[in-house]
Amino acid sequence: MKISDVIIIGGGLAGLMAAAVAANRGQNVTLLTYGSGSLPLASGAIDFLNAKAPAVAIKNLPDNHPYKKIGMKNIDAAAKFFCEVTAQDNLPYNGKLSAQIPIVTAVGTLKYSCLVPESMDASNLINKKKIYVAGVKGLKDFYASMLVDNLKKYFPAKNFEVATLDLELLGGRDITCMGAARLLTGNEQILADGLKTLNATADDAIILPPILSLEDSNVKSQLRADVIETTCLPPSPPGIRLQRAFTKYLQRAGVKVFGNSKVIRGVVEDKKITGVVVKSVAREKIFYGKKIILATGGFYSGGLIMHEFDKPAEPIFNLPVFCRAGAENWSNEKLFDDKPQGFSMTGILTDENLNPVDASGKIIYENLHVVGANLGGVDFIHERSAGGVAISSAYKAAII
Amino acid sequence: MEKATVVIIGGGATGLGILRDLSMRGVKALLIEKKDLINGASSRYHGLLHSGGRYAVKDKEAARECIIENQILCKIGKGCVEPCGGMFTRLDIDDPAYEELWIKGCADSGIEATPITLDEAFKLEPRLSRKHVKSAYLVPDAAIDGFRMAWQLIDSSRRYGGRFKTYTEVIGFDTVNGELRGVKVRNQFTGETYEIGCDIVVNAAGGWAGFIGKLAGVEIGVQPDKGTLIAFNQRIVNHVVNRLHKSSDGDIFVPHGSITILGTSSMSIPDPEDTSTSRAEVENLLKIGEQTFENLRDFRILRAFAGSRPLYIPPGGASGRGASRGFAIIDHERDGLKGFFTIVGGKFTTFRLMAEKICDQICAKLNVTEKCRTAEEPIVPEVSQADKERARKFFPSYGTELAATRLGVERFKRVVERLESDVESRELICECENVTRAEVEEICKEDTIFNIDDVRRRTRIGMGTCQGNFCSFRATAVFADMGGNSMAKDSLVRLREFLQGRWKGIRPVLLGRTLRESEMTRSIYELSMNVTGGEPQ
Amino acid sequence: MNDMTKAIFTGDRCLSCTSCMASCPVMAAIKDYRGPKLVAPAHGRLHFSQADIETTLEFCSNCKTCDRACPSGVAVSTLNMLQRAEYYKTHKHTRAEEMLAHNERMANLIRKIPFGATFANIGVNIGKTLNVFDKLGIAGERNMPTYAATPFKNLFRRIKQSTSGKKIVLFTGCYINDNEPQVGEAFVKVMNANGYEVLIDENFNCCGSPLVSMGFLDEARAHAGNNVARILDWKKKNIPVVTPCTSCSLMLKAEYHELFGEDVMYEAAQNVYDAFEFLELLQERGEFNDNLKPLNQKFLYHVPCHLKSQAIGLPAVNILEEISGVKVQTADADCCGIAGNYGFRKDKYEISMKIGKKLFERVKQKDFDKVISDCGTCRIQIHHGTDIKPCHPIEILAEAY
């Protein structure tokens, strides 16, 4: 019977991060994933908090906020480690926790995050003379003219030009940004050559959909102008690049990553989880570990479920789930609102060590730590803190 | 001053039926609707083309009307009707004595009700409760798509010179000596008010008929009666499945293309604008529904929606389920207002008959001798097989038939031509319901399209599995590009307003997999797209 | 068993999140395929109401990467296969499809001829030179698997085993029986070393995997019916059925039930084990014979897609690393591209090689002594793409006893 030092359940950002941190500390790590996690949906940027200076604003959060339990020191260390992992895979991230960097969204608004992929960093847009927006023939999810109309509101005085590149995508199925990025991976020269025909200078910027190669893009280095990728509809290449960077890190670090492995319950001894049971085909399989990190996500990822109103559940360990019961508290009348959505605050409450606790604050399992989107009490989307909480809670859980 | 012989108020099935009927008889008619067409009870219902079985015990006359109209609509509205057939099932908790009455009622009303064995029933409908279902009958129910029917009625009316204006609200009437001269209206977007001169006004405003009556100074006994329904993500039934008992809430399942609708409830409300639905109503429908289909809660719910039936309450009459589903035509000359008619009550299945009856009266007034032809002439010509074959080369699978009946002959032809010549227009804007960019472009260009919801009602974008998560962005961009009016360019507002519309129906069913879908909506549109344009505070 | 585990009901779980599209290896290789989401769950909603065919369905290789990417448990590839079967209700199979789906039938035919296998192999070579394959629609670039002179089932009778109270039935699968009997021999040696007597059930059919992926669903169902009855017979005697072929084990353990939805299929599945899964269970119970000779070798392990789908971890790595001096490195290079008979089709050959490129490049680094993989066609593909001949991990383990 083999016993891992750590078993991590969940292959989203939090799970990958926890596995990387633990492996980096020399631990024997098993990562169990089911489905490809939420990174294919993600913008690729890591939001920390909706504030001009998140590092300061985090300090002013109430004590029961996950960030307060994680502690500023760990949040800083998590951001640093995250950047190291991505840099190793030639996926540099820009930014710091004391400021926000703008990126251009697919609809032409700006979005602000603390850590953004270098290829999306739009900080310099303001200093540029001319902004080219490069659409691609046959690319489905990029609408240059709508993007320009909306982006102009931020930069009314700037000169915009819409261009359309032919990257030979026409003639088959619909090509999404991810489809284009995959087809261009390894065949990127056609994109570089197309962008060169714009004759953009070092004073200009070219905005394009996120279709740069999924690994080791060299398009930027061939052009004088800044090349800036936007966000896009899923599947999102920047999110998937991040997933790949972490996966490669884990492979190098010898982490055992098992896909398609749906964990259905724990093996419990007193107040400890000694193993987790995976529903494999036709039977169950137990993986044993000394420490368990629960990174199964919120409702989207199935880390939380709710079959009947007001009865949310954590399906693996049946942990108590914080929930704002009642129709009036569950959701706001407006989808995009200036207050948090009740349903998104659903989740598991923990102590300082991210151990799950019951209503009286008593620890339920000593060696189980909860990270990422299944933490309760906060609407991470409203607060713009999903990425930051994911990596910093994962960091803390992995080093405890 | 703009003029028409007859102004019809209300763009629901009844109003559209009247527009078509009058136009076919050569009467100059104009329909005005304060929102988009087919936005009231005519689309906010379960889309059941009754065989009459449901009324066979309580109201044999209504039942007879239903079966006759059912057969007519199957003939003239092929593209809108799905002849899926219906099944009545009695559960163990239902009164067996009612079954006897029902069999007799069907026979008396001319409705063919064929008893089948339970084995046959479970074979036809494998998800039926083996525990509860005790007997089953087949009837000629069908599903009818209210949206498609509306667009076809409009296309047909236009061919005969009929006109319509949407987003145009009635604010008053012009009368001289108790005789109607015109209708005062307001454009909902510009606020501009003007008058349309006419000889006759038909108040076909459904649940709003009472308000229109008030504007004209007449009293009309209309009780808006809210019915709530649930749309499921997939077809969970192959037939319309009815409970064989005294009509009640949540006892009808109707398969519609890719989805299933469960309905309805019945609740008197003061304001027909109230299309809100609540968690409690949803819970109630599910509780009843799962008596027939035990695993009902395992199926993904897309949304809940509600519409208000315009129940006609004659002085001293009953309301709610007790009220008659029959219709009434009132010539308000009796109230001292000449040229003002109201048609109220009834049900979608009999809209054509209702239109025929009132048009006969109007034509008599106008001395028009032309007879009604709406029962014989197909609403729209069918798209030719040749055009469909051309389309099949570029349409996604399962897309051709759906688009052909949605678009009609001319639009379909233009869409196919665009698909042939413009490769990029072949992409799917909506991957759940298979709607191509060419079709969305075609619709966006029409002068009656003001927002993405208007596009949705004509194409089905945003009505499938992802409830707009993917197509809203795409459709907004296409509309911004192609839309003929200034509202189109305001893309972020259009996008948010569309997603908000989807949200309204999702909120009451925000559980299970719908919760997951909504988290995805927020992740895409708040995080990746920042559609509110918010900046760090 | 709940109804909802049948593939046909899982489509309702799709959120349209597109994770399957982001991971599909065929979509990365070509522009023609519309992708798993559109073909299976999205169209699945529509085909309940009308009949139509998605023509790009033919590009699905049934590698099941989409199923593993799906966060919602949709049996995407199986839904595709059900649709493919619908397609062939109204369309004829090509001769290549007929041939490639019926490996078992062909092998039986060949064996009826004296020296059949030798002739078959010569025939295969001649056929290739004369471009006959190309005309049939089979990729001319490929070496067809050669037929072993003696099928494993015959060879097996000659193997001397001591009787034991502990017995297992070996489900050989077609490839081991007809083309690589040495894998079967290695399996018997390993099981004997662990105190098990190996039995063979001559009445088993091909598991049906090649039939399913070519749209011969009715035939596959007949095979399933027979195999499931056999497995249940053995189950009654408390004798498990074990197979070293990962596509066979996935078929027997999971796909029968997903496709056809009968409870007995699920019941039978519980008596079927992948070879290394079985050995790992022995190890967990402390019954594994770890008296192994040291082997100072480094292995590159290509994990077959159909093993990944079983969610049993990597038991082969666990067991082989019991051998002192052995190091196993996973190739981590995704699908090899061949997907059973997919890569043998002339019109799919290029796609298959494009998908395999990443794995070929990894193998060509040659920083190991041997490549191992549990799946017969994966081994063919690696050999074809790199000229390096892989073996089954059970052959390594057998060497250590």
Side-chain angles (χ1 to χ4, degrees), chain B residues 387-456:
Chain B
D387 279 345
K388 282 189 203 165
E389 284 316 311
R390 272 170 75 196
R392 262 184 240 284
K393 291 199 188 89
F394 307 106
F395 265 109
S397 51
Y398 304 96
T400 308
E401 290 297 330
L402 295 170
T405 51
R406 260 195 314 253
L407 289 166
V409 175
E410 282 116 48
R411 283 190 212 91
F412 187 73
K413 201 168 240 153
R414 285 196 295 274
V415 166
V416 174
E417 274 157 18
R418 189 170 300 131
L419 288 169
E420 284 173 341
S421 61
D422 176 3
V423 181
E424 286 189 281
S425 76
R426 295 172 197 164
E427 65 188 31
L428 293 179
I429 295 290
C430 168
E431 296 176 0
C432 302
E433 297 283 324
N434 275 1
V435 186
T436 61
R437 176 150 145 194
E439 181 175 345
V440 174
E441 285 176 352
E442 173 72 23
I443 297 298
C444 281
K445 281 195 291 194
E446 295 199 354
D447 56 3
T448 53
I449 302 295
F450 298 93
N451 53 51
I452 313 296
D453 264 316
D454 293 347
V455 181
R456 171 180 67 83

Side-chain angles (χ1 to χ4, degrees), chain B residues 26-83:
Chain B
V27 177
K28 284 193 168 31
L30 168 67
L31 182 148
I32 50 180
E33 160 60 47
K34 74 180 168 125
K35 288 187 176 168
D36 191 16
L37 297 177
I38 213 83
N39 198 22
S42 300
S43 67
R44 298 168 185 277
Y45 85 123
H46 42 47
L48 164 58
L49 182 60
H50 283 284
S51 61
R54 190 162 172 85
Y55 305 111
V57 175
K58 197 182 80 185
D59 187 345
K60 290 202 177 71
E61 194 191 326
R64 262 191 293 272
E65 276 172 12
C66 279
I67 187 67
I68 294 166
E69 285 302 307
N70 173 310
Q71 284 156 356
I72 291 172
L73 288 179
C74 282
K75 199 175 68 198
I76 64 165
K78 275 197 184 112
C80 319
V81 177
E82 209 191 309

